[in-house]
Short mmCIF file of all heavy atoms in Angstrom, two decimals:
data_model
loop_
_atom_site.label_atom_id
_atom_site.label_comp_id
_atom_site.label_asym_id
_atom_site.label_seq_id
_atom_site.Cartn_x
_atom_site.Cartn_y
_atom_site.Cartn_z
N SER A 1 35.70 -90.02 -91.33
CA SER A 1 36.56 -90.01 -90.14
C SER A 1 37.89 -90.71 -90.37
O SER A 1 38.61 -91.00 -89.41
CB SER A 1 35.84 -90.67 -88.97
OG SER A 1 35.47 -92.00 -89.30
N ASN A 2 38.23 -91.02 -91.62
CA ASN A 2 39.47 -91.71 -91.96
C ASN A 2 39.61 -93.02 -91.19
O ASN A 2 40.69 -93.40 -90.75
CB ASN A 2 40.69 -90.81 -91.68
CG ASN A 2 41.94 -91.31 -92.39
OD1 ASN A 2 41.85 -91.96 -93.43
ND2 ASN A 2 43.10 -91.01 -91.82
N ASN A 3 38.47 -93.72 -91.05
CA ASN A 3 38.47 -94.99 -90.33
C ASN A 3 37.67 -96.03 -91.10
O ASN A 3 37.01 -96.88 -90.53
CB ASN A 3 37.89 -94.82 -88.92
CG ASN A 3 38.14 -96.03 -88.04
OD1 ASN A 3 39.17 -96.69 -88.15
ND2 ASN A 3 37.21 -96.32 -87.15
N GLY A 4 37.74 -95.95 -92.42
CA GLY A 4 37.05 -96.93 -93.24
C GLY A 4 37.88 -98.18 -93.43
O GLY A 4 38.92 -98.37 -92.81
N VAL A 5 37.37 -99.05 -94.27
CA VAL A 5 38.07 -100.29 -94.60
C VAL A 5 38.36 -100.27 -96.10
O VAL A 5 37.44 -100.19 -96.92
CB VAL A 5 37.22 -101.53 -94.24
CG1 VAL A 5 37.93 -102.81 -94.67
CG2 VAL A 5 36.94 -101.56 -92.75
N GLU A 6 39.64 -100.32 -96.44
CA GLU A 6 40.04 -100.26 -97.85
C GLU A 6 39.36 -101.36 -98.66
O GLU A 6 39.03 -102.41 -98.14
CB GLU A 6 41.56 -100.40 -97.97
CG GLU A 6 42.36 -99.34 -97.22
CD GLU A 6 42.63 -99.71 -95.77
OE1 GLU A 6 41.95 -100.63 -95.23
OE2 GLU A 6 43.52 -99.08 -95.16
N VAL A 7 39.17 -101.08 -99.93
CA VAL A 7 38.41 -102.00 -100.78
C VAL A 7 39.03 -103.39 -100.80
O VAL A 7 38.32 -104.40 -100.68
CB VAL A 7 38.30 -101.44 -102.22
CG1 VAL A 7 37.71 -102.48 -103.16
CG2 VAL A 7 37.45 -100.18 -102.23
N ASP A 8 40.34 -103.50 -100.93
CA ASP A 8 40.96 -104.82 -100.99
C ASP A 8 40.85 -105.54 -99.66
O ASP A 8 40.67 -106.77 -99.61
CB ASP A 8 42.42 -104.73 -101.45
CG ASP A 8 43.28 -103.84 -100.58
OD1 ASP A 8 42.74 -103.08 -99.75
OD2 ASP A 8 44.53 -103.91 -100.72
N ARG A 9 40.93 -104.78 -98.55
CA ARG A 9 40.78 -105.42 -97.23
C ARG A 9 39.33 -105.81 -96.99
O ARG A 9 39.05 -106.82 -96.33
CB ARG A 9 41.29 -104.49 -96.14
CG ARG A 9 41.43 -105.17 -94.77
CD ARG A 9 42.42 -104.43 -93.88
NE ARG A 9 41.96 -103.09 -93.55
CZ ARG A 9 41.43 -102.75 -92.36
NH1 ARG A 9 41.31 -103.65 -91.41
NH2 ARG A 9 41.05 -101.52 -92.12
N TYR A 10 38.40 -105.02 -97.48
CA TYR A 10 36.98 -105.36 -97.42
C TYR A 10 36.74 -106.71 -98.09
O TYR A 10 36.08 -107.61 -97.53
CB TYR A 10 36.18 -104.26 -98.10
CG TYR A 10 34.71 -104.53 -98.32
CD1 TYR A 10 33.79 -104.35 -97.30
CD2 TYR A 10 34.24 -104.93 -99.57
CE1 TYR A 10 32.43 -104.56 -97.51
CE2 TYR A 10 32.88 -105.14 -99.80
CZ TYR A 10 31.99 -104.96 -98.76
OH TYR A 10 30.64 -105.18 -98.99
N ALA A 11 37.31 -106.89 -99.27
CA ALA A 11 37.16 -108.15 -99.99
C ALA A 11 37.78 -109.31 -99.22
O ALA A 11 37.21 -110.40 -99.13
CB ALA A 11 37.81 -108.04 -101.37
N GLN A 12 38.96 -109.08 -98.65
CA GLN A 12 39.67 -110.13 -97.92
C GLN A 12 38.90 -110.56 -96.68
O GLN A 12 38.70 -111.76 -96.43
CB GLN A 12 41.06 -109.64 -97.53
CG GLN A 12 41.87 -110.65 -96.76
CD GLN A 12 43.22 -110.09 -96.31
OE1 GLN A 12 43.40 -108.88 -96.24
NE2 GLN A 12 44.16 -110.96 -96.02
N VAL A 13 38.45 -109.59 -95.89
CA VAL A 13 37.75 -109.92 -94.64
C VAL A 13 36.39 -110.53 -94.91
O VAL A 13 35.98 -111.50 -94.25
CB VAL A 13 37.62 -108.66 -93.75
CG1 VAL A 13 36.81 -108.97 -92.50
CG2 VAL A 13 39.01 -108.14 -93.36
N TYR A 14 35.69 -110.01 -95.91
CA TYR A 14 34.38 -110.57 -96.26
C TYR A 14 34.53 -112.03 -96.70
O TYR A 14 33.76 -112.90 -96.31
CB TYR A 14 33.77 -109.74 -97.39
CG TYR A 14 32.25 -109.73 -97.46
CD1 TYR A 14 31.57 -108.63 -97.96
CD2 TYR A 14 31.49 -110.83 -97.05
CE1 TYR A 14 30.18 -108.61 -98.06
CE2 TYR A 14 30.11 -110.82 -97.13
CZ TYR A 14 29.46 -109.70 -97.64
OH TYR A 14 28.08 -109.69 -97.72
N ARG A 15 35.56 -112.31 -97.50
CA ARG A 15 35.80 -113.69 -97.94
C ARG A 15 36.14 -114.58 -96.74
O ARG A 15 35.66 -115.73 -96.65
CB ARG A 15 36.92 -113.73 -98.97
CG ARG A 15 37.20 -115.12 -99.53
CD ARG A 15 38.20 -115.08 -100.67
NE ARG A 15 37.63 -114.45 -101.87
CZ ARG A 15 36.90 -115.09 -102.75
NH1 ARG A 15 36.63 -116.38 -102.60
NH2 ARG A 15 36.43 -114.44 -103.81
N MET A 16 36.94 -114.07 -95.83
CA MET A 16 37.27 -114.84 -94.62
C MET A 16 36.01 -115.16 -93.82
O MET A 16 35.85 -116.28 -93.31
CB MET A 16 38.26 -114.06 -93.76
CG MET A 16 39.66 -113.97 -94.32
SD MET A 16 40.69 -112.78 -93.39
CE MET A 16 40.56 -113.43 -91.72
N LEU A 17 35.12 -114.19 -93.71
CA LEU A 17 33.87 -114.40 -92.97
C LEU A 17 33.03 -115.50 -93.62
O LEU A 17 32.48 -116.36 -92.93
CB LEU A 17 33.11 -113.07 -92.92
CG LEU A 17 31.80 -113.03 -92.13
CD1 LEU A 17 31.60 -111.64 -91.52
CD2 LEU A 17 30.61 -113.36 -93.02
N LEU A 18 32.97 -115.49 -94.93
CA LEU A 18 32.18 -116.51 -95.63
C LEU A 18 32.84 -117.88 -95.56
O LEU A 18 32.15 -118.90 -95.43
CB LEU A 18 31.96 -116.08 -97.08
CG LEU A 18 31.14 -114.79 -97.27
CD1 LEU A 18 31.10 -114.40 -98.74
CD2 LEU A 18 29.73 -114.94 -96.71
N GLU A 19 34.15 -117.92 -95.64
CA GLU A 19 34.87 -119.19 -95.49
C GLU A 19 34.64 -119.78 -94.11
O GLU A 19 34.43 -120.99 -93.95
CB GLU A 19 36.36 -118.98 -95.75
CG GLU A 19 36.70 -118.68 -97.20
CD GLU A 19 38.16 -118.30 -97.40
OE1 GLU A 19 38.84 -117.96 -96.40
OE2 GLU A 19 38.61 -118.32 -98.56
N TYR A 20 34.69 -118.93 -93.11
CA TYR A 20 34.43 -119.34 -91.73
C TYR A 20 33.02 -119.90 -91.61
O TYR A 20 32.79 -120.95 -90.98
CB TYR A 20 34.63 -118.11 -90.83
CG TYR A 20 34.40 -118.29 -89.36
CD1 TYR A 20 34.62 -119.50 -88.71
CD2 TYR A 20 33.98 -117.21 -88.58
CE1 TYR A 20 34.43 -119.64 -87.35
CE2 TYR A 20 33.79 -117.34 -87.22
CZ TYR A 20 34.01 -118.55 -86.61
OH TYR A 20 33.82 -118.67 -85.26
N THR A 21 32.06 -119.23 -92.24
CA THR A 21 30.68 -119.67 -92.19
C THR A 21 30.50 -121.01 -92.87
O THR A 21 29.83 -121.91 -92.34
CB THR A 21 29.77 -118.62 -92.84
OG1 THR A 21 29.98 -117.35 -92.24
CG2 THR A 21 28.30 -119.01 -92.69
N ARG A 22 31.09 -121.18 -94.03
CA ARG A 22 30.99 -122.44 -94.75
C ARG A 22 31.61 -123.59 -93.95
O ARG A 22 31.11 -124.72 -93.98
CB ARG A 22 31.67 -122.33 -96.11
CG ARG A 22 30.79 -121.69 -97.19
CD ARG A 22 29.76 -122.68 -97.68
NE ARG A 22 28.88 -122.09 -98.69
CZ ARG A 22 27.61 -121.80 -98.50
NH1 ARG A 22 27.06 -122.03 -97.31
NH2 ARG A 22 26.87 -121.30 -99.45
N LYS A 23 32.70 -123.31 -93.24
CA LYS A 23 33.34 -124.34 -92.43
C LYS A 23 32.46 -124.76 -91.26
O LYS A 23 32.30 -125.95 -90.97
CB LYS A 23 34.68 -123.84 -91.92
CG LYS A 23 35.40 -124.83 -91.00
CD LYS A 23 36.70 -124.25 -90.47
CE LYS A 23 37.37 -125.21 -89.48
NZ LYS A 23 38.60 -124.63 -88.90
N GLU A 24 31.88 -123.78 -90.57
CA GLU A 24 31.09 -124.06 -89.37
C GLU A 24 29.65 -124.44 -89.68
O GLU A 24 29.04 -125.23 -88.95
CB GLU A 24 31.10 -122.82 -88.47
CG GLU A 24 32.47 -122.42 -87.95
CD GLU A 24 33.03 -123.43 -86.97
OE1 GLU A 24 32.24 -124.02 -86.20
OE2 GLU A 24 34.26 -123.64 -86.97
N LEU A 25 29.10 -123.88 -90.77
CA LEU A 25 27.70 -124.12 -91.12
C LEU A 25 27.62 -124.46 -92.61
O LEU A 25 27.12 -123.69 -93.42
CB LEU A 25 26.86 -122.86 -90.83
CG LEU A 25 26.89 -122.32 -89.40
CD1 LEU A 25 26.20 -120.96 -89.35
CD2 LEU A 25 26.23 -123.29 -88.43
N PRO A 26 28.09 -125.62 -93.00
CA PRO A 26 28.21 -125.94 -94.43
C PRO A 26 26.88 -125.98 -95.18
O PRO A 26 26.86 -125.78 -96.40
CB PRO A 26 28.88 -127.31 -94.43
CG PRO A 26 28.64 -127.88 -93.07
CD PRO A 26 28.61 -126.71 -92.14
N SER A 27 25.78 -126.22 -94.51
CA SER A 27 24.50 -126.32 -95.20
C SER A 27 23.67 -125.04 -95.11
O SER A 27 22.56 -124.99 -95.66
CB SER A 27 23.69 -127.50 -94.64
OG SER A 27 23.41 -127.31 -93.27
N THR A 28 24.18 -124.03 -94.45
CA THR A 28 23.42 -122.78 -94.31
C THR A 28 23.36 -122.04 -95.64
O THR A 28 24.37 -121.87 -96.32
CB THR A 28 24.07 -121.88 -93.24
OG1 THR A 28 23.90 -122.50 -91.96
CG2 THR A 28 23.42 -120.50 -93.21
N HIS A 29 22.18 -121.59 -95.99
CA HIS A 29 21.97 -120.84 -97.23
C HIS A 29 22.41 -119.39 -97.01
O HIS A 29 21.99 -118.74 -96.04
CB HIS A 29 20.49 -120.89 -97.62
CG HIS A 29 20.22 -120.31 -98.97
ND1 HIS A 29 20.36 -121.02 -100.14
CD2 HIS A 29 19.81 -119.07 -99.34
CE1 HIS A 29 20.05 -120.26 -101.16
NE2 HIS A 29 19.72 -119.06 -100.71
N LEU A 30 23.22 -118.87 -97.92
CA LEU A 30 23.75 -117.52 -97.79
C LEU A 30 23.05 -116.58 -98.77
O LEU A 30 22.81 -116.93 -99.93
CB LEU A 30 25.25 -117.50 -98.07
CG LEU A 30 26.13 -118.30 -97.10
CD1 LEU A 30 27.58 -118.30 -97.58
CD2 LEU A 30 26.03 -117.74 -95.69
N VAL A 31 22.76 -115.38 -98.28
CA VAL A 31 22.18 -114.31 -99.09
C VAL A 31 23.08 -113.09 -98.93
O VAL A 31 23.21 -112.56 -97.82
CB VAL A 31 20.75 -113.97 -98.66
CG1 VAL A 31 20.18 -112.84 -99.51
CG2 VAL A 31 19.86 -115.20 -98.71
N LEU A 32 23.71 -112.66 -100.01
CA LEU A 32 24.58 -111.48 -99.95
C LEU A 32 23.88 -110.32 -100.63
O LEU A 32 23.51 -110.41 -101.82
CB LEU A 32 25.92 -111.76 -100.63
CG LEU A 32 26.71 -112.97 -100.13
CD1 LEU A 32 28.11 -112.97 -100.74
CD2 LEU A 32 26.77 -113.00 -98.60
N CYS A 33 23.69 -109.24 -99.89
CA CYS A 33 22.96 -108.09 -100.38
C CYS A 33 23.92 -107.00 -100.86
O CYS A 33 24.93 -106.72 -100.20
CB CYS A 33 22.06 -107.53 -99.29
SG CYS A 33 20.83 -108.70 -98.67
N GLU A 34 23.59 -106.41 -101.98
CA GLU A 34 24.42 -105.38 -102.58
C GLU A 34 24.35 -104.09 -101.75
O GLU A 34 23.26 -103.56 -101.53
CB GLU A 34 23.91 -105.11 -103.99
CG GLU A 34 24.73 -104.12 -104.78
CD GLU A 34 24.19 -103.94 -106.19
OE1 GLU A 34 22.96 -104.02 -106.38
OE2 GLU A 34 25.01 -103.74 -107.11
#
C-alpha cells in the first residue's frame, strides 16, 4: 500500500524506542526477536 517504513527510518525509530525504554526502565530485560 506504499505505506511502509523505510529501512533507515525503521532503524532510527526502533533505536529511539529502545533508548526511551532504557531511560524509563533501566533494569528491564530486553528481548529483540528477528
Side-chain angles (χ1 to χ4, degrees):
S1 58
N2 197 28
N3 193 34
V5 177
E6 301 87 344
V7 171
D8 58 346
R9 191 157 65 103
Y10 171 81
Q12 179 183 20
V13 176
Y14 207 150
R15 183 173 290 276
M16 288 170 56
L17 183 148
L18 296 175
E19 290 173 344
Y20 179 30
T21 305
R22 277 284 179 250
K23 177 183 177 183
E24 297 292 325
L25 303 171
S27 61
T28 292
H29 187 84
L30 297 175
V31 179
L32 305 190
C33 300
E34 184 178 34

